[in-house]
Every structure is written in structure tokens, then in C-alpha cells.
Amino acid sequence: MGSLFRSEEVCLAQLFLQSASAYSCISELGERGLLEFRDLNPKVSPFQRRFVGEVRRCEEMEKTFTFLQQELRAAGRMPGPCPESPRAPVAREALRVQEQSEQLAQELREVTRSRASLRGRLRDVRQYLHVLREGQRFTSLPAPPGSPPRPRALSEREPILDPSLHQHLERKINFVAGVIHPWRVTAFERLLWRACRGYLVASFVEMPEPMEDPATGESITWVIFLISYWGEQIGQKIRKISDCFHCQVYLYPESETSRTDTITRLHGQIQELSVTLEETEKYLAEVLDKVAQALPTWRVQVQKMKAIYLVLNQCSFDVTQKCLIAEVWCPVQDLTQVQDALRQASYQSGSSVECFVQRVPTLESPPTLIRTNKFTAGFQSIVDAYGVASYQEVNPAPYAIITFPFIFAIMFGDVGHGLLMFLFALWMVLYEDSPRLRQGTNEIWLTFFEGRYLILLMGAFSIYTGFIYNECFSKATAIFPSAWSVATMANHSSWSSEYLASHPSLTLDPNVTGVFRGPYPFGIDPIWSLATNHLNFLNSFKMKMSVVLGIVHMGFGVVLGVFNHVHFKQHHRLVLEFLPEIIFLLALFGYLVFLIFYKWIKFSAADSLVAPSILIHFIDMFLFTSNAENLPLYPGQVPVQMVLVLLALASVPVLLLGTPLYQWCRRRLTAGAVPVQSLAMGEQEPLLEGQEAGNSVNATKEDVESGGHSPDAKHLDFAEIFMHQAIHTIEYCLGCVSNTASYLRLWALSLAHAQLSEVLWTMVMRNGFVGLSYVGGVVLVPVFAAFAVLTVAILLVMEGLSAFLHALRLHWVEFQNKFYVGAGYKLCPFAFAPDTWE
């Protein structure tokens, strides 16, 4: 069978790598992704391994790349994905990458530091210029002689001093000028007044333009202050308070001429700093362009190089220290590709000694490898979520491709809802190569996208079962003419006008000739949607349908166990396990399916009143009695049922004692030669073709001589084997009853979905149609919008998720436990993963 139906054959192999070409060989194997390496140095600390220095060098380069990445983000740039996957660099190329990355990082540090310094100086110069400009308004010279005197005004724009007293007090007045954060102005002014007792005059004005705060990087509007005072002690207090409030204080010239000269000089400095800063920004942009161009390739190369050295640390050296030995799990069909990769890598590295691979016999259970594609990956993920298949065990995934969507559709059967789901999945399938869909960050969306083919089949099967139920948004459609004739009933009856007025609902009698003209061609007849007893009819139909499908599904699971028994050459389990299991299932519940179909075929509408109850017959079957009020379905029914119950009861001790007694007798005959693991699991896995008894390089001499087991290994006794089989027997026999009842969820979820659809239509859309005669068709717009939103939110998302989870449970618990152990572990080949570095 193919890999999809059963995991591939995997063997243990040894790689003999020449030291000079080991790096190239691992690199080539990583590009192909064929092998899973095993750690041959499990007791050696990571800091004591041979290539720890190379790994540390890769980590140092990754730190440099992280710094470059942060600088790119700070500049508003994002490095794109690597256009092509470069190969792992050789030693000389890795040294070049390290030197260039460190050089770029050093340049970025210097340029960034220079830019920050220039920005700080330019900010200080501009603040100083604004302080001098605003200060001149407060300390301007008096008006020339002959000009009319101006009145004194209490304004911030007026000079602090009276112009008439300016000449007399010019030498005695000192100034402190600077900028302060706007949040600290009130507290600063209050403290100045209390500390200096009013021996100062302070003025505050907002700066004309906002500037950056060097502490937080935010753009704020600073406040300029100018304080005039008398006395040196007052000046010292003012400066100390300014330092406490983190004010930027600037030298304020006393004379008008000095202030004018300083303003002119500051204008020149601003122009020079602006030109220098512009050139620095250009150079920084050039460096960032180099980083953005080279960084994606460098990070992929270093990731691959680090992964190679981590794998080399898992290898062991031979005695001569010239050859590395690696142990790998390898698919048998890929051994040729592995040898070809080793040969090609040895040639590229220039080594004169060719590396090679050699299979090693082992008693360990190999990992599981099941190759999937974009269609089967979603179904395989459902199975793996329960448990990875044991080595070469029957894989339930290919059967779930059909059974899972079908069981889901039984609970979600509606043409309209299934069509919406199908179209949504079809859109994802048609645009599956779009990077916008693949690279989403929403986990819920990625879950939907990964299961697009599963959703596509669930929608298609829901459309099919919707046609069977004859439901489209809870309304029946008359695809074919109804098989019931109301006119025939009216013609053969004496219905009068008074009778019709007193009987608003009438019942069709199929016993009247011509009323029922045969079965509906496909699905449920649409006339049942108008019947008052349609819910009773659908209850009976869907309940029996659920039981039939459930027993068929479980029986199929029991039959799949045959493939496991035959493949592992456990032919005794065919007689001692499969045969009693299938007899127990069919003798009881298979007979129930027979009764359902037999009653459908034998009894018609004419004799429906005398049709016996299947449930009463099934209860009497276990009690070995008969009920006179419940007529038999066929002659000799009671003896047949007694024989079937006896067969089912007789299969239980066979299932309970058969396998333990067989193992005990076989162990007595072989004198304990059967492996312990095979006794525990009831199976013996033969060695792969061409192998001999032995073990890997990790095995000791005693392990090989004792057949793979240490001398003090404890063999399982008969009581433990019997206990294992007893648990399996109890679980199976009781599970047949509980699992059959569990399939009734198909009936319950199907009716719940139909009733929710009907309630939504009745409470929303029908009210809109009723109101149409009053306000016209405008009311249908919001009504249909509400109907569409509720349909998607409740019936598609919530009900769809509920049906999905119930279908998942039916496969995991009721179906897979009949044949599937799921105790394996995946083969994780060493491969260079796609670039996911953030």
C-alpha cells in the first residue's frame, strides 16, 4: 500500500563522513530534507561539544543582525524576504559575512551617534535663538527722544522695565533665560515666588514652534522664561531652582548690541548644522540601503550554518579523529538519494575520500513517515491531532477524506448553507497561491486556510444531504412533482364547506386509491414541510438513519484491523480477535440494522397500524422472551434472536482469553524467545529485509548478545498480558453499546440545525414579507441584512463548528478505536526551514 494508506518503511542508518567534507555533506542533506539525525552524545554538555565555538560565532552574528534589524525598523524600513534560498556559506564566505556585518554595524553606530549629536546641537541653537528673540520683546530699548510717551500696559509683550528707568538700572539688573517643559511651569513659578520673596520679575511665553523632547522623543511646545532680578544671592537661588526643574538655561547678553550679534551668529550656526545634518542623513540612508539589501541573505546563511554545526555536534568521532559517524532515521526509498547527496557534497568540497551511508539493524520502533500534499494535509492533521500512527499501522486519513465530510454533512444538511460554505472554500482554493492569503497573521484565518479542501468537501457533501432532506434555508423545494395528491383525496371524500371550515388542518390518507402515487424520486417529498406531523416523520427517519450509518461505520473500522493483522503477520489475531469482534457487533447491532430494513420493506401504509415495534423486539432479544402484544416480524424470529445472542455471548470469552492463552503457549514453546515488547502489544514486528539481529552504534556488547535486551530485563507475566486483554475486551463490548448510542448525535444535530434554520426564517424573513404590504419593499433591505448576518454567525460559524467537533469525536472515539493505536512519533527530517526570523 502507498504511503497515504500506511506509513513508509523507515530504517536506521549510519553516515560515515570525512572530516573535511562533513560540513558540505550535512549542508546538502539539509537542502534535501531526507534524514532525521539522532544525538550520539546525549551525556555531553552543549558547552563541551566539538563545534561549540562555531555555534557561538553564529550566535554572535545573529546578535549583530538583530541590531541591524532594529536600526532598519527605527528608520521605518522592513527587510523583505530573501529572494532566493542561498546555500550555507563555506568557512571563507562566513568570515566575509561576519566582517561585513560588523563593519556595517559599526558604521551605523557612528553615523547614528553623529546624527543624534547634530540634532541635539541644532535643537539647542534653535531654542537659544527663540529665547533671545522672545527676550528682546521684554527688554527692548526705550523709544527715541521726541516720541510720545506710551501708556503702561500689563501685557506679556510689554518690556519688563519702565523705559524711563532703563538707563539708570541697566547695570544693576541681571537676567536668567531658558526653556522649561510646559507641565512644570506652574510649580516652577510658584517656587520662584516663594523662595525669592518677590525680588524678581518672571515672564513666560510659549515657543513659536514645537520641538522634540530629548528624553521621550515626543514633539512638544516648550515654554520660554525670562527672569530679571536684583542681587547675586537671588540669582544663585534662581539657578538652583532651574536645575531642579531640569530647565535648559542659556546665557542672556545684557546689552542690545551683544544680543543682536549673538542672534546673527546663531543664524549662521543653524545653517551650517542643517547642511551637515542633511549630509549625515544621506550617508545614513546609503548605509541602511546596504543593510536592507544584504541582511535577508545573511540571516538565512547564518541560520543554515548554525543548524549544520548543531547537527555535527550530535555526531561522534572515530578513533582516528578523521571521520564523523552519524546515526539517522531514513526512508528506505530515499537511501539512493542520500548516497547521491553524499557523493555530490564530497566532490564539491574537494575531498579525496568519499562519504557513504550504511543501514543498521535495530529492534527499536522507527518513526512514522506519511507524505502528504496540500489536499491530504488537512485530513492527516485531524488524525495526527488524536495521535500519530504507530509504525506502518493503517492510516485512517484516506478514509476520513470521505467519511468525515459525509458525517459532518448529515448534521449540517442544507443546500443553502452548504453552498455558502462551498463557495467560501472554493474562493480560498482558487486563490491559494496569493501571498496576501498565505501570509496572514490571524490564527483563526490561517486555520481556515489550511483546511480549505476539508471545508470544500464539507460544503459539497452538505449540498448533497440538503437535497436528500429537501431543505434550502429551512424551506422545501419542489424539484419534482409531489407524490401525494390532495385533489384525489378531495374527490373521494365528502368534504363540505362546513367540514372544511371546522377542520383547518387535514390529513392525507395513503390508503385511498390515487392519493399516494409512489415514492418521491430523490430525497424527502416537499409536501412533508406542510404536514403537521413532519417533525415526527423526520425524527423516525433520521434516528434510524443514524443507527444504520453508525453501525456501518464501526463495522468498517473493525474490518480495517484485518489489514494490521495481516501486515504484521499476526494471523492468530484474525481468529482470536477480529472474528469474535465482528460476530459480537453483527450478531447484536448488525441484526438491528436488518430489522430496520426488513420493517421498511415488509410493512406498507395499509398495514402500518399492526407493524410491531423494533425497540420492543430488541429488548426481548436480550431477555430471551417474546411479547404477545408485539407481533413478530417474520416466522421463527425468537429462535433466531436467541442464537444470535448466544453467538455474541460466546465471542466474549474467546476475545478475552484467546490472545493471552496463545501468547502463553507460544512462550512455553519458544522458552522466552519472544521479545518483551511484542508480548506486551500482542504483536511481533519482523526485521526489515536484509537485516540481521543487532543494534545501533549506541548498543553495548551485552545488548547485542542478548538480542537487544539487557540481561536483567523483566519479562511480562501471564497476569499482565491477561489484564491488558481484559481491558480491551471490556472496552470493546461496552463500547459497541455506547458508541452505537453516540451516533444518535447525527439525528440530534441534524434536527437542531433544521429547527434553528426554521426559527431564523420565521422570526426574521417571514416578518419582513408580512410587513411588505405596509411599508413596501424597503423593509426587506434591513431584514435581509439581519437574516444574512445571523445566518453566517449562527448557522454557518457556530453550528458548523459544533457539527465539525461532533464529527471529529465520532472519528476519534467511535471509529478509530476499533483498529488504530496512534502510539507512534513523526519522522522529523533535518531540513532548512523557510525564513521565519523576525
Side-chain angles (χ1 to χ4, degrees), residues 689-700:
E689 183 180 354
Q691 295 183 1
E692 298 177 358
N695 213 323
S696 67
V697 296
N698 285 344
T700 61

Side-chain angles (χ1 to χ4, degrees), residues 183-204:
W183 293 353
R184 303 174 183 146
V185 172
T186 304
F188 179 62
E189 185 177 8
R190 185 183 301 114
L191 186 58
L192 282 175
W193 181 258
R194 292 178 179 176
C196 300
R197 300 185 180 182
Y199 290 98
L200 56 82
V201 178
S203 296
F204 298 89

Side-chain angles (χ1 to χ4, degrees), residues 581-621:
E581 286 178 356
I582 198 68
I583 289 176
F584 184 86
L585 181 65
L586 295 182
L588 299 180
F589 302 99
Y591 178 70
L592 177 61
V593 174
F594 166 76
L595 292 181
I596 293 174
F597 279 98
Y598 186 83
K599 182 179 178 180
W600 280 345
I601 295 173
K602 182 177 180 180
F603 293 92
S604 62
D607 51 357
S608 60
L609 296 178
V610 296
S613 171
I614 296 179
L615 181 60
I616 299 299
H617 275 303
F618 199 60
I619 295 175
D620 292 339
M621 175 179 174

Side-chain angles (χ1 to χ4, degrees), residues 726-740:
I727 294 174
H728 171 71
T729 303
I730 296 173
E731 181 183 5
Y732 178 81
C733 295
L734 296 182
C736 285
V737 181
S738 62
N739 293 347
T740 303

Side-chain angles (χ1 to χ4, degrees), residues 379 382-383 396-406 454 811 815-816:
F379 299 95
I382 291 177
V383 175
Y399 312 105
I401 294 176
I402 301 299
T403 59
F404 189 90
F406 182 66
L454 175 61
H811 276 77
F815 173 62
Q816 291 181 185

Side-chain angles (χ1 to χ4, degrees), residues 616-626 638 641-642 645:
I616 299 299
H617 275 303
F618 199 60
I619 295 175
D620 292 339
M621 175 179 174
F622 288 95
L623 299 177
F624 293 97
T625 60
S626 60
V638 175
Q641 293 180 165
M642 294 178 63
V645 173

